[in-house]
Amino acid sequence: MITASAALISTGHAFAHTNLVQDVITLTSPQFAGRKTNTEGAKLAADFIAERFVALGYSVNEQIFTYQSGFFSEAVGRNIVAIKNSPCEKCKKIIFTAHYDHLGQQGSRLYPGANDNASGVAALLYLADHFAQSPQRYQLVFVATDAEESGLHGSDYLVSTLNTDKIKLNINLDMLVVNPRRPRIYAFLDKQSLAHYKDDIKALSDEQLTFMATSSSARLNRLFDLKVDWRRASDHYSFAKAKIPYIYFGIGHDKHHHQTTDTTEHINFILFEAAMKKIALFIEKLAS
C-alpha cells in the first residue's frame, strides 16, 4: 500500500498532475480539527475548498444556513458552491456533492475523517479540475456541503434553493477510499437512473477495480452484513426526496468509519486515483 507520505515523494509518477493526495492530507491535518460543523476547523476547511475552486477558475458562492441543534439552540452551516461560467448557463445542471464536515474533536480524541469524507472532497476537486476547460452538454456545478453528519442539513438547504426542473442529475461522492482486499466502487442509484446508467458504470470495471451498480439496499447489505438504508445514507437523499435522479459513488462499508483510525495511512492512493479516473470517464460520456 502507498501511504500519503510515500505518495508525496512520487513526483513525476502517478500523482504529478493531481492534488488528490495533498487535498486529503490537508483536510485531515490537525489544524482542521476534524471539520465539525460550526467550528473554527470547519471554517478553515470551507475557506481551503473555496480557494481551491477559485484557483481552478470557478466562480464560488457560499450558502449560509442555520438548523436546529439540540432543543434550544441553532447551528450555522456553510456550503461552498462552484460554477464555471460558460455558454451552457441555460442548460440543465449536473450537481456534484461531497460533504466536508466530520465529527471533529471530542475531548482528546481527534476524528480526522480521511475516508469520511476528505476523500469525497478531494474527488470533488479532482473532477472540477478535470472538467475545468471542457465545454459540456450540461452545466456542471460542484458543491462541498456542510452538516451532513448532523442530518444532511447542507444538502437539504442546497436542494431547497434549486429549480428542480433544471437539474439533470446529482452525483454524490462519499467515502471513496478503495479497500485493496475488495477493490470495488459501488454506485447506488434511483431505479430510473439505474436503467439508464447501469451498463456504462459496470463497463468501467477492469482487472484492477470493479464497479457495481444497484438501487437495492438489500443487495448492498448482504455484501456487508449490515442494515443500512442506502437511499438515506448520504447527501443524495436530499435529491431523492425532491425526485431528482442521483448516483451515489462510494465503497460501502469501512471498518474505520467514524473512528479515530480513519486516517490517511489507510488510503491506497493508487487505487483511489484509479477510481477517480474511471468516474471521470463515466462523466465524460454522460456530459459530453
Side-chain angles (χ1 to χ4, degrees):
M1 178 185 297
I2 289 188
T3 62
S5 57
L8 283 175
I9 298 171
S10 301
T11 55
H13 296 88
F15 311 108
H17 303 293
T18 80
N19 286 299
L20 279 171
V21 180
Q22 190 58 54
D23 286 340
V24 174
I25 290 173
T26 299
L27 288 164
T28 56
S29 62
Q31 72 183 105
F32 291 87
R35 310 182 306 279
K36 185 175 177 63
T37 300
N38 210 30
T39 66
E40 183 62 24
K43 180 182 182 301
L44 289 173
D47 288 344
F48 167 76
I49 294 164
E51 289 169 5
R52 290 280 286 109
F53 279 130
V54 169
L56 293 172
Y58 286 81
S59 298
V60 176
N61 298 301
E62 296 181 2
Q63 292 182 335
I64 307 298
F65 59 92
T66 59
Y67 63 95
Q68 196 73 26
S69 178
F71 287 108
F72 305 108
S73 62
E74 287 188 335
V76 178
R78 182 182 174 198
N79 293 337
I80 304 299
V81 182
I83 301 174
K84 176 72 74 171
N85 294 325
S86 73
C88 196
E89 290 177 5
K90 293 184 179 180
C91 299
K92 281 198 170 186
K93 296 175 172 61
I94 297 175
I95 299 184
F96 298 83
T97 51
H99 75 91
Y100 67 88
D101 63 299
H102 193 54
L103 303 184
Q105 184 103 24
Q106 300 179 19
S108 62
R109 296 169 65 84
L110 174 64
Y111 294 81
N115 193 13
D116 184 19
N117 188 33
S119 68
V121 176
L124 188 77
L125 294 168
Y126 175 95
L127 293 173
D129 187 7
H130 185 87
F131 291 102
Q133 306 302 326
S134 305
Q136 304 296 335
R137 179 182 175 188
Y138 303 101
Q139 186 177 28
L140 308 185
V141 181
F142 299 88
V143 186
T145 60
D146 197 1
E148 188 266 0
E149 298 286 3
S150 53
L152 313 185
H153 298 292
S155 55
D156 279 347
Y157 182 80
L158 169 66
V159 172
S160 75
T161 69
L162 300 175
N163 178 350
T164 58
D165 292 336
K166 298 294 186 181
I167 311 304
K168 169 70 174 178
L169 183 68
N170 166 237
I171 296 178
N172 186 37
L173 307 161
D174 195 350
M175 295 175 58
L176 285 160
V177 172
V178 178
N179 182 349
R181 296 180 180 178
R182 179 181 275 184
R184 295 181 181 174
I185 291 289
Y186 299 93
F188 189 84
L189 309 84
D190 60 281
K191 290 182 179 179
Q192 181 180 0
S193 295
L194 182 67
H196 283 301
Y197 306 123
K198 181 178 181 179
D199 290 343
D200 287 334
I201 291 171
K202 289 176 64 177
L204 299 173
S205 299
D206 57 22
E207 66 281 354
Q208 185 179 32
L209 190 60
T210 299
F211 278 76
M212 172 182 156
T214 184
S215 62
S216 169
S217 286
R219 186 179 181 194
L220 285 184
N221 286 334
R222 283 195 297 271
L223 292 171
F224 300 113
D225 193 23
L226 295 173
K227 294 182 179 179
V228 174
D229 184 346
W230 292 96
R231 183 170 177 264
R232 298 171 180 257
S234 184
D235 283 332
H236 55 280
Y237 181 52
S238 300
F239 293 83
K241 289 185 293 184
K243 302 188 185 307
I244 298 171
Y246 64 86
I247 305 174
Y248 161 35
F249 284 108
I251 63 157
H253 177 62
D254 178 3
K255 68 179 182 180
H256 301 291
H257 180 238
H258 286 186
Q259 304 296 318
T260 59
T261 54
D262 185 7
T263 61
T264 56
E265 68 185 36
H266 296 115
I267 299 178
N268 184 313
F269 280 97
I270 289 177
L271 284 175
F272 184 22
E273 185 177 24
M276 290 316 305
K277 286 181 177 179
K278 292 287 189 174
I279 292 172
L281 285 174
F282 166 75
I283 296 164
E284 284 177 5
K285 184 172 182 178
L286 168 69
S288 64

